[in-house]
Amino acid sequence: MRWLDMPPVWLLACLVLAWGQAAYFPAGLSFGGAWSEFAGGLLVGGGVVLMALALSEFRRHRTTVIPHETPERLIQTGIFSRTRNPIYLGDALVLAGLILWWDAVLALPLVPIFVWVIEKRFIEPEEDRMRRKFRMDFARYCEKTRRWI
């Protein structure tokens, strides 16, 4: 059951809820048409690019991308020099973008809920493991690079 407690599963659950709200409970609310589709597309595209850049850094450094495991190396290059959590940031951008694209106004609170769940379930435990393993290197990294943006 541990495979169910993974960020993509949480993202998928939020996306299903957002799509369901847009499809079955629109409540007569709308973001306003073409601009929201454009903005949504930009957010989704940006999120996918962030995730791809992060995955390429994981591959280049030959360390794990699995959230419940401790990485072998502390990645501080590439996109990780701008944000400590580019994949989670990308997930949040994809969620926000699809909410805009689907015109799911009532699903907007899912974005901060998703971010909160990701922080509590994944980021904080990951940072604890990395703090124990990389000690001062991780402390210096945290000083110069923000958690989200």
Side-chain angles (χ1 to χ4, degrees):
M1 291 301 275
R2 192 171 173 108
W3 64 270
L4 278 175
D5 188 25
M6 297 293 278
V9 175
W10 286 96
L11 176 61
L12 181 62
C14 287
L15 289 173
V16 167
L17 287 171
W19 178 83
Q21 184 272 300
Y24 299 107
F25 307 105
L29 300 172
S30 176
F31 288 120
W35 82 267
S36 65
E37 288 182 8
F38 177 73
L42 286 177
L43 289 172
V44 170
V48 170
V49 166
L50 276 175
M51 289 185 257
L53 290 171
L55 291 172
S56 72
E57 286 296 311
F58 275 108
R59 184 175 204 143
R60 190 165 71 87
H61 289 273
R62 292 188 175 97
T63 191
T64 186
V65 70
I66 299 171
H68 297 297
E69 295 180 5
T70 303
E72 291 298 315
R73 289 164 198 80
L74 178 62
I75 303 172
Q76 301 179 55
T77 58
I79 193 63
F80 287 92
S81 67
R82 303 277 185 208
T83 173
R84 294 195 315 252
N85 297 289
I87 295 175
Y88 299 144
L89 179 57
D91 288 343
L93 290 175
V94 166
L95 176 59
L98 288 174
I99 286 172
L100 285 174
W101 182 269
W102 291 329
D103 211 16
V105 176
L106 297 176
L108 270 178
L110 287 174
V111 176
I113 291 169
F114 175 78
V115 167
W116 181 81
V117 167
I118 291 300
E119 274 201 23
K120 295 299 175 194
R121 295 287 310 134
F122 302 101
I123 293 175
E124 290 176 3
E126 284 174 18
E127 288 184 347
D128 286 343
R129 286 191 300 276
M130 292 196 301
R131 198 170 283 112
R132 284 192 301 273
K133 181 166 184 165
F134 301 112
R135 304 201 182 267
M136 285 307 295
D137 287 337
F138 187 71
R140 282 190 292 272
Y141 177 53
C142 289
E143 286 177 7
K144 69 180 183 179
T145 308
R146 301 181 97 188
R147 181 179 276 174
W148 289 98
I149 51 175

